[in-house]
Amino acid sequence: MKIILLGPPGAGKGTQAAMLMERFGIPQISTGDMLRAAVQTQSSLGVKAKKIMDAGGLVPDDIVVGIVHDRLQFEDCQKGFILDGFPRTLAQADSLKQVLAELDKPLDAVVSLQVDIDALVARLTGRRTCVDCGKGFHLQYDPPTQDGLCSVCGGRLILRDDDREETIRNRMKIYQEQTAPLEDYYRAEGLLIDVDGMADISTVQQAIVMALSGSLS
Ligand code: ADP
Ligand code: ADP
Ligand code: ZN
C-alpha cells in the first residue's frame, strides 16, 4: 500500500501514520522527522533547515525531494509506504509523480484529513514530541504513560520550537497558500479520500482503515 497523508499542521498525520505503520507493516516516511534528525546532527543541511523550520517556512523543494527520493529506494519500501508531510507544494507533487513512475510504484490513495483550523492551535501547543524517536503525544488528547517521557523509548518529551503560537500562524498561512491546492491536484487524479479528522484518534484510524480497504479492493 502506497499512500500519502495530507492535512494542515496538527491534523493528525504523524499520529495516524505511526498507527498505520504498525498495522500494515510499512514505513512512515516523515520529511519533518527526517529534517529534525538532520538538525540534530548539525550537518550543513540541518543548520540551514533549522532556520527555515523555526520561522515556519518550507525547506526548498529540491532538498526534500532529494531526501524522499533516496528514502524510497530502501528495501523496507518494497511493500509500500506512508508519506507524512510530503508533498507540500505542487512542485513536490510533480516530482513525486516522476520518482514513483521511475520506481514503478504508483500511489494507491491520498488520505486528506478534514479538520477545523481553529482547533489546531490547541493541538499544536499541547503537542509534545520525543527528542529521541520523534513520536508525538498530546498533554490532554494523547498523554504519555509517564509525565514528560516517551511511552515508546523513554526519551524526553519537548515542545517543538515551531509549535509556538506565532510560528503556528505562519505555518497555517503557508499551508493554505502552498499545500491546500494539493487536494484538487489529487482529486483530479482520482486518488483523494476525505476523512473526518476531528473525531478522536482511534475513530479517525478506523475511518482511514475503512476508506483504504474500500479504495484498494
Ligand atoms: P501532524 O503530524 O498532522 O502535524 P500530529 O499527528 O502530530 O499532527 O497531531 C498533532 C497533535 O494533536 C499531537 O499532539 C497529537 O497527539 C494530537 N492529535 C492527533 N490526532 C488527534 C485527534 N484526532 N484528536 C485530538 N488530538 C489529536
Ligand atoms: P507538522 O507535522 O506539524 O505539519 P512537520 O513535522 O511535517 O510538521 O514539518 C515541520 C517543518 O519541517 C515544516 O514546517 C517545514 O519547515 C519542514 N518540512 C517538513 N516537510 C516538508 C516538505 N515536504 N517541504 C518543505 N518543508 C518541509
Ligand atoms: Zn521516543
Side-chain angles (χ1 to χ4, degrees):
M1 187 173 59
K2 301 170 293 296
I3 61 168
I4 293 174
L5 289 185
L6 199 62
K13 302 180 297 296
T15 303
Q16 296 300 330
M19 293 168 76
L20 293 170
M21 171 171 82
E22 293 239 322
R23 186 184 285 258
F24 294 109
I26 52 176
Q28 166 189 11
I29 301 182
S30 159
T31 41
D33 284 352
M34 291 190 282
L35 289 167
R36 279 184 290 279
V39 169
Q40 281 200 332
T41 65
Q42 299 190 324
S43 60
S44 61
L45 162 66
V47 172
K48 186 176 171 194
K50 175 151 177 61
K51 278 199 194 130
I52 298 171
M53 292 164 80
D54 283 355
L58 291 183
V59 173
D61 290 334
D62 56 333
I63 295 181
V64 279
V65 167
I67 294 177
V68 172
H69 177 264
D70 292 351
R71 182 66 184 85
L72 285 171
Q73 329 263 339
F74 284 31
E75 178 66 29
D76 65 346
C77 294
Q78 284 300 340
K79 273 179 32 190
F81 49 79
I82 306 149
L83 286 168
D84 157 17
F86 179 93
R88 261 178 154 94
T89 64
L90 288 169
Q92 290 179 19
D94 280 336
S95 300
L96 176 67
K97 197 194 282 188
Q98 268 183 17
V99 170
L100 294 179
E102 269 167 37
L103 298 172
D104 195 23
K105 287 189 170 115
L107 287 171
D108 294 306
V110 176
V111 174
S112 174
L113 294 170
Q114 302 295 309
V115 284
D116 171 2
I117 296 280
D118 294 334
L120 299 182
V121 175
R123 281 204 191 170
L124 292 172
T125 52
R127 172 159 67 182
R128 293 296 178 270
T129 305
C130 174
V131 282
D132 291 332
C133 76
K135 186 169 166 49
F137 295 87
H138 193 281
L139 294 177
Q140 282 96 46
Y141 311 131
D142 190 13
T145 358
Q146 230 187 313
D147 261 6
L149 294 180
C150 175
S151 312
V152 175
C153 78
R156 199 162 48 86
L157 300 183
I158 56 152
L159 176 69
R160 268 168 49 180
D161 286 336
D162 58 346
D163 279 347
R164 296 171 201 276
E165 209 160 333
E166 325 77 80
T167 315
I168 292 172
R169 304 263 168 234
N170 196 32
R171 289 162 66 200
M172 292 303 171
K173 182 163 168 277
I174 288 181
Y175 175 82
Q176 297 291 5
E177 290 169 0
Q178 305 215 42
T179 312
L182 293 180
E183 287 191 58
D184 283 344
Y185 178 98
Y186 286 118
R187 192 175 287 116
E189 305 227 321
L191 291 171
L192 199 77
I193 303 174
D194 286 330
V195 168
D196 174 16
M198 290 310 294
D200 61 61
I201 292 173
S202 61
T203 307
V204 176
Q205 178 75 181
Q206 281 169 21
I208 294 175
V209 171
M210 285 259 289
L212 287 175
S213 67
S215 87
L216 296 177
S217 57

